[in-house]
Amino acid sequence: MEQEGKEGSVANVEEPAVASVDFLDKSKFVRYLHRFALRIPRNLSHVVAKILSGYVLDMARVRHIVPDPSDDNLRLVIFSDLVTDIYLHGLPEEKQQALKKVVIADVVPYDVVLDYPYWPVEHILKEILPAGCEVPSSFETIGHIAHLNLREELLPYQKVIATVILDKNPKLKTVVNKVGTITNEFRVPEFEVLAGNASLVTEVKQHGATFRLDYGSVYWNSRLEAEHKRVFSQFQPGEVIVDMFAGIGPFAIPAAQQGCIVYANDLNPTSVKYLKMNSEINKVSGRVKAYNMDAREFIQTIMTPRLTDASSEEPVNDNIASTTAPVSSEEERITTGPSDSLTTKYESQISNAIKNGTGIVKSKNKMERVKDSADEIDSDMGLLHPGKNIQNGRNKKGRNFTTSVAKEKMNLEVKAWEHFDHVVMNLPASALEFLDVLNGLLTRDKWKGRLPRVHCYCFMRTKETSADVIERAEAYLKGPIQEPVVWTVRDVAPNKVMLCLSFELPEAVAFSSTSKDLIEDVATLKRPRTS
């Protein structure tokens, strides 16, 4: 085994067997570098090291000045392999003369010990695994969890691999490996805990938001962080977002933080539980309406005109998921910090727009009017001026105003059947098939403003092209798509790539009569009796 670097190689060491299938013998990783060291008074160590510059030990994570085990008042300056003996052969004469002016040379043999903590993960795994096995080079991190996707030939060594990963990553507490293929209706992988804490309840922070989740029960992919930001960055304060496959809220929570109203749905009840929990944690529960339904039923539900309860002003809808989710003892042990200032950044614009009768902000002129109004509000009231921040949802006197304003958002007259701005369909395995629900979804006598923009995720095989994906989308949508934007998200397999297809919902499709009867039937079933 050799260690390459500025100091050269670790040579003339025996190659031991370091691991069995289930056991890692860390003592077998001890290596010795035979060097020489100069014993000097402690107070002269840095002066001497400067004189010897270029001839002292230079290895990553190894100190070249160490305590002398025989005397606390002395230090040892370790030479590089250029100095070959106690007579300082290899050290230039000028440096030897400079050294004599400072200290009497007292050179001793010294062994640099490189043990298990020194070696990086890749080096240790290369020693453990049989020749020819590919060393795992990366893994996904989800809070305190490391997620591996081990090849079949590595499975006999999975426990040892997991132990090494935990040892070398102090912030990680659990290592899991994906088992089999995804077969359940919620698209959640099955995991085997290989090492560490068996709990898969964890927290992830992205884009100023905190996401709590049970990794064994909900879908989460940390590699999509940049993609989440790319999409929700397109949303504007006051816009209405429809998230058909919301999961625990990677789109919904940041959108709400920047001032959007979000209708968020997921078929998995556990995902909805954490979606609601994350809305509370990030202080945006008043702007996120959570549903636990099939996506088609969800769309039909929010597009059904509803009467309102006079006492609450909130649309009557028994299918909306409850606002408060039960919290397990494991979840209670996870602490979360105060909400990010993004939570309250656009409170005044939205609130004033509603109170002044202009509705949710849409046009540039309306936004300007709201901005002018907001500029007149004193920041001491806990409302933000455009372009300013309030830390952790508090005003400068420390009064917490976020909760009361957030609760107000649940009472906004937001009617999805009249307008929404974006539809997010993040279920790449089958989202294209749900495009048919958008056909005939809107009604001309109720709809207000521009048509919504759709962001639909899907997979594309190597033999396919973007044109093939658009053609499939048009087939499900039952209409042509104008000016589609196809964005490559990431490679998910050697022959498969994940895409996001974005487009404005075509007018001919949106107002088609194809699906009107179905929507009207749903409306009839849900409309309360008036007599």
Side-chain angles (χ1 to χ4, degrees):
M1 177 173 62
E2 295 185 348
Q3 171 69 13
E4 298 293 338
K6 292 182 179 180
E7 181 59 20
S9 300
V10 180
N12 301 320
V13 291
E14 213 173 311
E15 289 287 354
V18 295
S20 65
V21 171
D22 295 314
F23 175 71
L24 174 65
D25 186 354
K26 298 179 182 179
S27 68
K28 297 295 185 180
F29 285 92
V30 179
R31 301 290 182 270
Y32 298 94
L33 291 180
H34 303 302
R35 297 292 181 264
F36 295 91
L38 179 64
R39 181 181 284 121
I40 59 173
R42 180 173 59 183
N43 62 321
L44 296 177
S45 58
H46 292 289
V47 174
V48 171
K50 186 175 180 180
I51 293 173
L52 298 177
S53 176
Y55 290 85
V56 296
L57 185 72
D58 185 10
M59 292 183 67
R61 307 185 307 282
V62 179
R63 295 181 178 180
H64 62 270
I65 302 175
V66 297
D68 185 342
S70 65
D71 191 334
D72 289 342
N73 294 316
L74 299 178
R75 292 291 182 266
L76 296 174
V77 179
I78 307 170
F79 288 108
S80 71
D81 55 357
L82 296 175
V83 178
T84 58
D85 55 32
I86 62 173
Y87 304 107
L88 298 180
H89 287 129
L91 185 67
E93 183 63 28
E94 63 270 19
K95 288 189 176 287
Q96 293 191 38
Q97 293 301 321
L99 190 61
K100 289 179 180 179
K101 295 178 181 179
V102 177
V103 67
I104 298 175
D106 181 10
V107 182
V108 296
Y110 184 85
D111 284 341
V112 178
V113 180
L114 306 178
D115 54 6
Y116 177 80
Y118 171 77
W119 303 107
V121 173
E122 294 78 8
H123 182 90
I124 293 177
L125 293 183
K126 186 176 179 180
E127 291 293 304
I128 291 172
L129 301 175
C133 280
E134 183 179 352
V135 175
S137 58
S138 63
F139 51 86
E140 182 182 1
T141 300
I142 310 92
H144 71 269
I145 302 168
H147 171 196
L148 307 180
N149 278 315
L150 296 178
R151 297 177 182 272
E152 186 174 353
E153 64 268 22
L154 296 179
L155 294 181
Y157 298 88
Q158 60 183 1
K159 300 288 187 181
V160 177
I161 293 171
T163 298
V164 174
I165 290 174
L166 276 190
D167 288 342
K168 298 298 179 177
N169 296 273
K171 293 183 179 180
L172 297 179
K173 304 300 179 187
T174 305
V175 179
V176 301
N177 185 46
K178 181 180 174 182
V179 178
T181 58
I182 299 176
T183 57
N184 61 75
E185 63 177 331
F186 301 139
R187 307 294 300 169
V188 177
E190 182 180 350
F191 297 108
E192 178 185 0
V193 177
L194 302 181
N197 191 332
S199 173
L200 300 185
V201 176
T202 189
E203 280 188 358
V204 178
K205 295 184 184 297
Q206 288 187 358
H207 316 300
T210 297
F211 297 95
R212 186 177 298 177
L213 62 129
D214 181 344
Y215 193 53
S217 302
V218 304
Y219 178 81
W220 178 267
N221 191 333
S222 296
R223 294 188 176 99
L224 296 176
E225 179 176 4
E227 175 60 15
H228 297 152
K229 184 175 182 179
R230 184 189 72 85
V231 173
F232 72 67
S233 294
Q234 301 175 41
F235 305 159
Q236 300 301 315
E239 288 188 332
V240 179
I241 313 302
V242 175
D243 193 348
M244 293 173 60
F245 311 101
I248 67 165
F251 291 103
I253 302 300
Q257 283 184 315
Q258 63 189 40
C260 298
I261 303 296
V262 185
Y263 289 85
N265 173 72
D266 202 274
L267 184 63
N268 184 349
T270 306
S271 293
V272 177
K273 165 189 170 182
Y274 283 99
L275 170 64
K276 295 179 292 181
M277 193 181 299
N278 292 328
S279 299
E280 294 287 347
I281 290 171
N282 293 283
K283 297 183 174 20
V284 294
S285 59
R287 291 195 293 274
V288 177
K289 297 190 177 184
Y291 294 73
N292 179 208
M293 298 179 175
D294 172 81
R296 287 189 175 86
E297 182 186 0
F298 160 67
I299 289 293
Q300 293 162 7
T301 298
I302 67 172
M303 293 304 291
T304 302
R306 298 183 297 272
L307 299 180
T308 59
D309 185 320
S311 63
S312 68
E313 300 272 330
E314 184 177 346
V316 176
N317 186 351
D318 294 335
N319 293 313
I320 297 180
S322 91
T323 311
T324 305
V327 181
S328 68
S329 58
E330 177 62 31
E331 290 158 355
E332 287 177 340
R333 289 202 298 270
I334 301 178
T335 59
T336 57
S339 170
D340 189 89
S341 59
L342 284 173
T343 304
T344 56
K345 188 174 182 180
Y346 302 104
E347 299 286 0
S348 57
Q349 288 106 310
I350 302 171
S351 182
N352 286 332
I354 300 303
K355 292 178 180 178
N356 294 335
T358 58
I360 293 296
V361 179
K362 292 292 184 298
S363 70
K364 180 179 179 181
N365 290 337
K366 288 181 181 178
M367 178 61 80
E368 289 173 350
R369 290 201 300 271
V370 172
K371 180 179 183 297
D372 292 340
S373 175
D375 279 338
E376 297 174 0
I377 300 177
D378 191 281
S379 62
D380 194 35
M381 297 171 63
L383 299 176
L384 284 182
H385 295 301
K388 294 184 179 179
N389 247 344
I390 292 183
Q391 294 298 319
N392 302 330
R394 293 177 180 272
N395 64 16
K396 66 183 181 181
K397 290 188 178 180
R399 294 195 294 268
N400 190 320
F401 62 89
T402 306
T403 304
S404 61
V405 180
K407 288 180 178 178
E408 178 186 352
K409 299 300 171 291
M410 286 298 287
N411 298 326
L412 297 181
E413 287 292 335
V414 179
K415 302 173 182 178
W417 58 89
E418 291 184 351
H419 190 85
F420 55 89
D421 298 274
H422 294 268
V423 182
V424 180
M425 304 174 69
N426 184 22
L427 190 67
S430 57
L432 288 176
E433 301 171 16
F434 285 83
L435 286 172
D436 61 350
V437 78
L438 303 179
N439 187 289
L441 183 65
L442 311 184
T443 306
R444 290 188 184 275
D445 62 346
K446 295 184 176 65
W447 187 257
K448 301 175 182 179
R450 64 178 175 83
L451 292 168
R453 190 159 184 80
V454 180
H455 309 275
C456 183
Y457 288 87
C458 62
F459 293 128
M460 180 179 73
R461 299 288 179 180
T462 304
K463 62 182 179 181
E464 294 181 305
T465 66
S466 295
D468 295 325
V469 171
I470 295 170
E471 184 178 349
R472 283 161 51 200
E474 291 176 332
Y476 286 114
L477 196 61
K478 298 182 179 66
I481 296 173
Q482 302 297 321
E483 300 182 359
V485 175
V486 180
W487 179 267
T488 300
V489 178
R490 70 184 191 101
D491 293 331
V492 295
N495 63 342
K496 186 166 67 173
V497 64
M498 179 178 174
L499 303 177
C500 179
L501 172 63
S502 297
F503 58 92
E504 183 175 294
L505 185 62
E507 183 175 359
V509 172
F511 296 107
S512 169
S513 60
T514 305
S515 303
K516 288 294 187 296
D517 293 340
L518 178 59
I519 295 294
E520 290 175 359
D521 289 345
V522 174
T524 301
L525 291 173
K526 295 182 178 295
R527 188 175 297 117
R529 294 181 180 179
T530 56
S531 59

